[in-house]
Amino acid sequence: DSRVILQDLYDSTGGSTIWFPENNWFRDGLHHCSFVGVSCHENGKDIRGLSMYGFGLTGSVPESIASLTTLVDLNLGGNNLSGTIPASYGQLQSLESFELSWNSNINGTIPSSIGSLINLVSLYFEGCSLTGTIPIEVGELYRLKRISLYYNYLSGQIPENLVTLPFIEEVYFDDNFLTGLMPLTFSSTLHRFNADDNLLTGNIPDFLINESLEYLSVGGNQLGGQLPDDMSLFPSIAEIYVWSNMLTGRLPSKYPSSLRYFDVGNNQLTGAIPDSFTSGLSLVSFNVDNNQLTGSIPTTVGLLSATLENFGVYRNSITGTIPSEILQLTNLRTFDVETNSLSGTIPDEIGTALPSLQNIWLHTNRINGTIPVSLGNLASLRLIDFADNYISGPIPSSLGNSLALYYIELDYNYLTGNLPIELGQLTELATLDVRSNELDGEIPPQLGSMSNLERLDLSRNNFSGQIPVELSLLTSLRELRLESVDGRSTGWNMCEFG
């Protein structure tokens, strides 16, 4: 009976020695329907659910569970189970939800008998070590709404009958080794589809035209073709991730008002960023990095003032200046335009107009002018990378007020003046690189207060005086470069620690 099967489950998976201490199984004659993680049907006898996520179960996936034919919910996820999924689990035809996720030692194939679970609504096998193909029988589970198989070693094609099931809503196949063409059509009920980091090929198919699709993520594959020029044909889409593929052509000129996240980085897209990309949108993140885009940053970016948090166009061929309209993006956290051909200056008001700014990448452009003093107003600022530009003038002492700074790269510019002693206040800083500038004066002993500093490069400047003994207090330091600190060879080269 049910109690005998539970006893086998308890004994075979370390119940008396390994399970978490709050379990009360087989104590003081307790009825099995009162065991932690066990629920029963109204008759007070037949088991309806086993919710044992994170109990600490060990050993093989228990085959005896296949005899609990009244099970509706089975959750053995988050444990240390091993071995294969018993084919006999196909007997559990009342099962609606089946989870074995995050048992990294469960291996072998998904048994085709899973196709016999005619009432199954949710299937979660992510985070295991499953191999082989996705059985075509899974696509015969008429009631299936959610399937999650990500972080496994599955291969072969995505069964087309699976993504066209009449009630399917969510599909997660990312981080496997799936091959072949993307399915040509999706069910009209599908809301979320993720097949990131596989080996899928072919062109972006017509499956994009889907009125219910809200989330599409197929990055890290080998998909080609072009994005539709009119993305407003997908009225519900909120998130699109097609990064690291082989897309060609131009960026769409029209986008749906529902769109929040858009990432097509690391493709082969050409042309300019259309002025219309902000029209009527509430974008939170816009990433088109590592393509072959040209033209300038549209001034219409300022229309996203209420929502935009991340703007990434790095590694393209963008020209022109940093538009003053970015100062309207009061929620902006990351501004990444490195490795382009931008010129002009950094807006002076950047540190007052953008209070949420955390990361600024301007590396490898043609930016000139000075470093804005207002950056010192940014309490959340974590990263500044202005390397390889034409920036001149002093390093503002106000940077010492941005106490969250973790990374500063100002190398290969034309900076002059002293290294501000206020930088010593940056106790979170891990990297300070000012090499190949025209800085002078003495190296501030206050740098010895930067307790988390791992990398310090002051080389190829015009510093004078002694190397401060306080630098010996930098116990986290792994790399120190001081060669030619006074414009001449000092005998100090690179020191590596640890």
Side-chain angles (χ1 to χ4, degrees), residues 31-32 81 128-130 172 178 186 192 202 237 259 321-322 353 382 393 400 404 412 419 422 440 445 459:
H31 192 277
H32 65 265
L81 294 171
C128 296
S129 296
L130 297 171
Y172 302 100
L178 299 175
F186 279 175
R192 300 176 69 85
I237 197 76
L259 191 62
T321 62
I322 299 173
R382 294 281 291 163
Y412 292 100
L419 199 59
E422 289 81 2
D440 55 26
S459 60

Side-chain angles (χ1 to χ4, degrees), residues 187-240:
S187 171
S188 61
T189 61
L190 191 66
H191 298 313
R192 300 176 69 85
F193 181 84
N194 191 334
D196 285 345
D197 290 315
N198 280 284
L199 301 167
L200 300 171
T201 56
N203 291 341
I204 292 289
D206 292 337
F207 69 79
L208 280 173
I209 302 178
N210 183 313
E211 292 187 359
S212 64
L213 195 63
E214 299 171 0
Y215 174 98
L216 173 69
S217 193
V218 289
N221 283 286
Q222 300 167 21
L223 300 172
Q226 299 184 12
L227 292 170
D229 182 64
D230 187 358
M231 295 289 289
S232 64
L233 295 172
F234 326 121
S236 301
I237 197 76
E239 301 181 45
I240 298 176

Side-chain angles (χ1 to χ4, degrees), residues 43 53 158 224 227 259 264 295 311 336 386 421 464 466 477 485:
N43 64 12
Y53 192 98
I158 297 172
L227 292 170
L259 191 62
V264 293
F311 183 76
D336 190 347
F386 295 169
I421 62 174
S464 58
Q466 300 295 312
L477 202 63
V485 292

Side-chain angles (χ1 to χ4, degrees), residues 232-406:
S232 64
L233 295 172
F234 326 121
S236 301
I237 197 76
E239 301 181 45
I240 298 176
Y241 305 98
V242 198
W243 44 266
S244 295
N245 279 284
M246 297 183 290
L247 299 182
T248 57
R250 294 175 174 268
L251 289 169
S253 62
K254 295 180 181 179
Y255 299 82
S257 59
S258 56
L259 191 62
R260 298 292 180 269
Y261 297 86
F262 183 74
D263 189 343
V264 293
N266 198 25
N267 280 284
Q268 300 166 25
L269 299 171
T270 55
I273 301 172
D275 289 342
S276 58
F277 91 100
T278 60
S279 180
L281 297 188
S282 299
L283 272 175
V284 175
S285 182
F286 181 77
N287 283 310
V288 293
D289 54 274
N290 204 19
N291 279 285
Q292 301 164 26
L293 301 174
T294 54
S296 59
I297 299 172
T299 57
T300 52
V301 69
L303 297 175
L304 298 171
S305 59
T307 58
L308 194 66
E309 296 180 3
N310 177 66
F311 183 76
V313 299
Y314 64 91
R315 293 180 189 161
N316 281 285
S317 298
I318 305 295
T319 56
T321 62
I322 299 173
S324 60
E325 285 78 6
I326 71 159
L327 299 178
Q328 300 171 27
L329 305 175
T330 54
N331 291 298
L332 194 66
R333 296 184 180 183
T334 295
F335 184 68
D336 190 347
V337 296
E338 73 163 271
T339 316
N340 280 286
S341 297
L342 292 167
S343 56
T345 61
I346 307 167
D348 286 337
E349 304 89 348
I350 192 169
T352 51
L354 306 179
S356 301
L357 199 59
Q358 297 177 0
N359 307 292
I360 318 172
W361 276 282
L362 304 180
H363 190 110
T364 313
N365 277 283
R366 300 172 183 173
I367 303 295
N368 55 48
T370 58
I371 299 173
V373 174
S374 65
L375 289 175
N377 297 325
L378 297 172
S380 299
L381 190 61
R382 294 281 291 163
L383 181 147
I384 295 174
D385 188 348
F386 295 169
D388 197 12
N389 278 287
Y390 297 90
I391 300 171
S392 58
I395 298 173
S397 60
S398 62
L399 290 184
N401 298 325
S402 296
L403 299 179
L405 271 169
Y406 176 81

Side-chain angles (χ1 to χ4, degrees), residues 110 130-136 147-160 162-163 171-183 186 193-202 217-223 245:
I110 299 173
L130 297 171
T131 56
T133 61
I134 302 170
I136 195 169
I147 181 169
S148 181
L149 304 177
Y150 68 91
Y151 285 128
N152 278 286
Y153 300 93
L154 297 169
S155 56
Q157 294 188 318
I158 297 172
E160 188 142 357
L162 197 161
V163 295
V171 173
Y172 302 100
F173 291 162
D174 40 312
D175 289 279
N176 280 285
F177 296 92
L178 299 175
T179 56
L181 301 176
M182 285 286 294
F186 279 175
F193 181 84
N194 191 334
D196 285 345
D197 290 315
N198 280 284
L199 301 167
L200 300 171
T201 56
S217 193
V218 289
N221 283 286
Q222 300 167 21
L223 300 172
N245 279 284

Side-chain angles (χ1 to χ4, degrees), residues 58-72:
T58 61
S60 300
V61 182
E63 186 148 5
S64 58
I65 289 177
S67 299
L68 295 174
T69 55
T70 59
L71 268 181
V72 175

